[in-house]
Amino acid sequence: QPRVLGLRPARVTRGVARNFQRPRLRAESSFASPRRSTQGSRIVASAMASTLARLSKYAKGENTTSVLSHAKAAYVAQTAPKEFKHIAVAVEKATNDDVVSPKEKHVQTLLEVVRSGASVADVTFLVNYLNHQVTDCKRVTQMLKTHVLLHRLLLDSGEEFRTQIMKMHKWVVEDRNTDSTLKCLFSIRAWKDEANMEVSGWCRTYASYLDEFVSNWEDFSDFARINKNPQGDATQMRSLPADELVRKLPKAQLLMRRIIDCEAINDSLTANEVVIAATRLLFKDSFKWYHMCNDGVIRLIDLFFDMNKHHAAKALEMYKKATTQGDDLSRMYRNAEENWLAFRSEKFPAVENPPGSFLQTMEEYVKNAPADGKGPAPPPPRAAAPPPPPPP
């Protein structure tokens, strides 16, 4: 992996966050020459003038973005490395403190950065910068918008971005096992904003879905295709052998559960524009995970009576979970239609559970299933009839 701005790709012992530090801005150099110091003063003066102008508008009610967000974006625009300035500014503006979804023009700028065949240096800088946003974040709106932005990038990115994200996720998991309070991208389990505890809790639940999503990214290679056509052709689950099916179907069901856990009921969540934007993405993902789980259950039924005892016992638990998970997903859709103004005109797919009447037959098979999985076990041999009594 190439070095970018002196960043080390290797993991350090004390937390992964220090691997992904925002590059030092030129005005912060402690060895600046008098000429550079003068230039830095001009930059700060320009940023202050811009901030004061926006403060005046804010006081008159003409601007809803916080002064701090404007000042930060203006400072980054003046001081970020020239070749990466468009990335830094787009991230800052997409994740400001406005309680609205990330502005589409900034999201599109970043989607262009992570497209297929994108520059490795640009992608590395973006991943580092997103991590730094999470590491430094204290306000819930910015934290939630950063994860909405990450979600958008995950769904429409090229191979290079996926590779960098999965590398970072691996390092985070390793460090999180030794430090449960680690705060960085994919690790905000202990984070909260005291000013808004309810949205903070929802944000952590949403982040856990994205964490699980990246963790299982390699197992679901056709996810992007299902995203474009969730009701289309059969997924990879329809053709999996038994050992792969019992490994992948539980993962798809877990991701479905992570989405259902993000169901929002209280008005403080259902009226929040950022929560609405995140929920809209979750609903789109739920359509394809439901489609994938449904294909997995169909394949499971096809293979079940040829499974060995170990696989059959696992398959039975998956089938039981599928019979109840559909009800939970249907309830989530119904709640959105009835209680969310943003989703009252939304058309949700009909959710059907696999028949519960099939369970008894499956349970009987598991009791008598052979160890080698070559069909149902033969019935136990009957005891030999007693010999007839001798003739008198």
Side-chain angles (χ1 to χ4, degrees):
Q1 181 179 343
R3 290 177 176 268
V4 180
L5 302 175
L7 298 175
R8 294 185 302 168
R11 182 173 59 89
V12 293
T13 33
R14 184 58 183 171
V16 75
R18 282 189 283 178
N19 286 322
F20 294 90
Q21 294 298 315
R22 184 177 303 175
R24 175 174 289 188
L25 303 177
R26 291 193 292 266
E28 296 173 354
S29 175
S30 57
F31 300 100
S33 65
R35 181 179 178 183
R36 289 184 178 179
S37 299
T38 303
Q39 183 183 7
S41 300
R42 290 174 181 172
I43 291 172
V44 173
S46 175
M48 289 179 63
S50 177
T51 301
L52 289 173
R54 290 186 175 92
L55 179 59
S56 176
K57 291 183 179 181
Y58 183 78
K60 295 176 182 178
E62 299 176 10
N63 197 336
T64 57
T65 306
S66 73
V67 177
L68 180 59
S69 295
H70 269 312
K72 189 178 179 184
Y75 182 71
V76 167
Q78 295 287 340
T79 57
K82 182 179 179 180
E83 62 272 29
F84 303 121
K85 183 172 72 173
H86 65 294
I87 300 175
V89 171
V91 172
E92 294 292 348
K93 291 187 175 182
T95 60
N96 61 24
D97 285 327
D98 277 346
V99 189
V100 295
S101 62
K103 190 170 287 189
E104 189 62 23
K105 72 175 184 178
H106 305 310
V107 176
Q108 289 299 323
T109 298
L110 297 172
L111 285 173
E112 186 65 19
V113 172
V114 300
R115 73 191 189 285
S116 296
S119 163
V120 177
D122 286 352
V123 169
T124 305
F125 181 87
L126 175 58
V127 173
N128 295 344
Y129 208 94
L130 288 172
N131 178 74
H132 198 83
Q133 285 286 92
V134 174
T135 304
D136 284 354
C137 187
K138 295 181 175 58
R139 296 178 298 280
V140 69
T141 299
Q142 186 183 31
M143 180 68 82
L144 186 52
K145 291 178 79 168
T146 302
H147 283 85
V148 172
L149 175 62
L150 174 64
H151 198 167
R152 289 287 305 274
L153 298 179
L154 290 173
L155 295 178
D156 296 299
S157 59
E159 189 62 33
E160 183 56 44
F161 182 76
R162 298 180 186 182
T163 301
Q164 296 296 329
I165 282 289
M166 286 191 289
K167 281 182 181 179
M168 180 182 174
H169 184 269
K170 180 181 178 181
W171 296 337
V172 170
V173 170
E174 291 175 359
D175 283 5
R176 194 168 56 194
N177 290 335
T178 58
D179 183 6
S180 60
T181 63
L182 180 68
K183 181 191 175 189
C184 59
L185 202 59
F186 304 116
S187 182
I188 62 167
R189 297 177 180 180
W191 175 86
K192 61 184 176 181
D193 181 355
E194 298 285 354
N196 198 333
M197 296 293 288
E198 192 164 15
V199 179
S200 296
W202 193 91
C203 183
R204 290 193 299 271
T205 306
Y206 179 44
S208 71
Y209 165 71
L210 297 179
D211 181 8
E212 201 72 43
F213 181 89
V214 175
S215 178
N216 296 288
W217 210 345
E218 290 181 308
D219 283 325
F220 301 101
S221 57
D222 61 347
F223 190 80
R225 181 176 61 81
I226 300 172
N227 181 39
K228 296 176 183 177
N229 189 9
Q231 302 299 331
D233 298 333
T235 67
Q236 60 171 317
M237 304 293 279
R238 285 280 190 101
S239 58
L240 292 178
D243 55 343
E244 284 290 295
L245 183 66
V246 297
R247 184 177 70 85
K248 290 186 177 182
L249 182 55
K251 294 181 178 182
Q253 290 180 326
L254 177 59
L255 282 157
M256 179 73 76
R257 171 49 55 189
R258 290 283 186 262
I259 291 177
I260 295 171
D261 289 343
C262 291
E263 181 180 9
I265 299 176
N266 298 333
D267 291 342
S268 61
L269 296 173
T270 59
N272 186 301
E273 290 293 330
V274 188
V275 175
I276 291 172
T279 302
R280 197 176 299 278
L281 294 174
L282 289 170
F283 281 154
K284 290 180 180 180
D285 282 7
S286 72
F287 302 158
K288 47 199 169 176
W289 286 123
Y290 170 72
H291 186 33
M292 194 168 284
C293 289
N294 198 43
D295 279 0
V297 171
I298 293 172
R299 181 62 173 166
L300 183 148
I301 294 173
D302 291 341
L303 298 175
F304 185 77
F305 293 103
D306 291 323
M307 289 183 177
N308 60 41
K309 193 177 188 71
H310 178 67
H311 284 168
K314 288 186 175 182
L316 178 61
E317 293 304 314
M318 297 175 215
Y319 192 89
K320 288 180 178 179
K321 185 176 292 185
T323 59
T324 59
Q325 202 166 59
D327 291 335
D328 295 337
L329 184 62
S330 182
R331 185 200 65 238
M332 184 179 182
Y333 291 160
R334 189 169 57 252
N335 170 51
E337 289 179 318
E338 295 174 356
N339 301 320
W340 292 60
L341 290 174
F343 297 110
R344 286 190 178 174
S345 59
E346 192 81 18
K347 293 183 179 180
F348 294 99
V351 178
E352 297 180 0
N353 289 331
S357 58
F358 198 53
L359 281 172
Q360 184 175 358
T361 306
M362 297 177 74
E363 289 171 348
E364 288 295 327
Y365 174 80
V366 171
K367 290 179 182 178
N368 301 312
D372 59 0
K374 295 181 180 178
R382 296 182 179 181

